[in-house]
Amino acid sequence: MPGTMAAIHITDVESAINYWRNRQPSPDGVTLAPELRALAEVYALMVYLHEPEADEFSFPAPAYAAWKHWYDTMPDTPCIAICSTSQGDDLCKGCGRRFDEVQRWPEMTPAQKRETWRRITLRGDAWRFNRYAERAGGEPAP
């Protein structure tokens, strides 16, 4: 994992756009807040090029700042304080992260963290998504 380039997924760009749309709605249905405009340009380019991800360091500064502001509103860690990596598991049963991700979490970039979040959410088999969902702030699975 060290040295890998992190990418921001288009769904995170969409989420950031929706965050800013709610935070700073258009006064006339046409005008966009600067944060929205910056993110919309990145989003449009990703759609045009059929790219599901963009390198976090290729974002124009205003778009990255707007994305980062949204990112800072998200939970930082998927940890639910039930860590099986401390018991020798390569994949934590509690949060779904790999051992190296648990160890390196504080030094990971925002995009690396979001990549991890995306992977564990798509898998959805960690305890944080079912038997201990209440610890993660979600509802327990039926």
Side-chain angles (χ1 to χ4, degrees), residues 38 58-67:
S58 70
F59 269 50
Y64 186 81
W67 178 84

Side-chain angles (χ1 to χ4, degrees), residues 42-122:
V42 169
Y43 182 79
L45 190 57
M46 291 174 78
V47 169
Y48 179 76
L49 296 174
H50 303 279
E51 295 290 342
E53 299 175 328
D55 168 31
E56 73 178 311
F57 300 114
S58 70
F59 269 50
Y64 186 81
W67 178 84
K68 179 73 168 64
H69 186 90
W70 164 80
Y71 166 85
D72 287 341
T73 68
M74 304 302 293
D76 178 59
T77 179
C79 181
I80 59 168
I82 300 175
C83 191
S84 69
T85 62
S86 64
Q87 304 301 312
D89 286 345
D90 288 330
L91 190 67
C92 180
K93 290 179 180 79
C95 70
R97 290 179 294 171
R98 296 185 305 257
F99 177 77
D100 66 310
E101 292 168 334
V102 171
Q103 296 298 309
R104 292 184 49 253
W105 194 260
E107 68 194 48
M108 290 170 71
T109 68
Q112 289 171 325
K113 289 179 180 182
R114 288 301 301 161
E115 281 180 338
T116 301
W117 268 103
R118 179 171 168 70
R119 188 190 75 251
I120 67 171
T121 301
L122 289 173

